[in-house]
Every structure is written in C-alpha cells, then in structure tokens.
Amino acid sequence: MRQAEEGNLEVVFTSDYKDEISTLGERFNYMIDAIKNLINLVHMEQKSKREAELEIFRQQIKPHFLYN
C-alpha cells in the first residue's frame, strides 16, 4: 500500500492463503485497477478537449484568412 501511496500503480498484492488479508488484498488490486482506468479516462478526456479547442481555433482562423 505504501508503494501505491507513493505513486506506483503497478504494485500487486499476492497471497497463497484464503483469509481476510487475502480478501483485502484482492480488493486492493481491484482498487488499483480502477484508479488506473480512471487515470486513463481522464487522460483521454483531456486529449479530446485539447483537440476540440484546436479545432475551434482553426475554425476561427479560416474566416480571417478568407476575408483578408
């Protein structure tokens, strides 16, 4: 958990037992996967937003050059 807290989202909990700690570890692994998916989603949304902003700027520039 300390590694994940420090930003290492590649850490995985493994256990050879089927007790409460291994159940907690499985939930931890699920949480890490969910965090990685959310980070990827945010990254894709930010990329899409930047592309949309660039397209708006392009559309604003086109009329300027057509009329000058």
Side-chain angles (χ1 to χ4, degrees):
M1 288 186 184
R2 285 190 179 132
Q3 289 178 359
E5 181 181 3
E6 292 171 0
N8 180 8
L9 297 180
E10 299 304 319
V11 65
V12 177
F13 176 84
T14 57
S15 176
D16 295 331
Y17 303 103
K18 291 291 181 189
D19 57 1
E20 292 86 10
I21 300 299
S22 66
T23 301
L24 181 63
E26 289 173 4
R27 297 288 90 201
F28 173 78
N29 291 340
Y30 178 78
M31 179 188 69
I32 292 294
D33 286 339
I35 290 171
K36 287 192 285 189
N37 288 336
L38 288 170
I39 288 172
N40 287 334
L41 179 63
V42 168
H43 177 71
M44 289 180 357
E45 287 178 350
Q46 287 177 346
K47 182 179 177 183
S48 176
K49 181 181 174 183
R50 282 192 301 266
E51 289 173 354
E53 288 172 347
L54 285 174
E55 185 59 31
I56 289 171
F57 290 138
R58 284 187 194 113
Q59 295 302 323
Q60 290 175 349
I61 290 172
K62 280 183 183 179
H64 174 74
F65 288 110
L66 287 175
Y67 296 117
N68 285 333

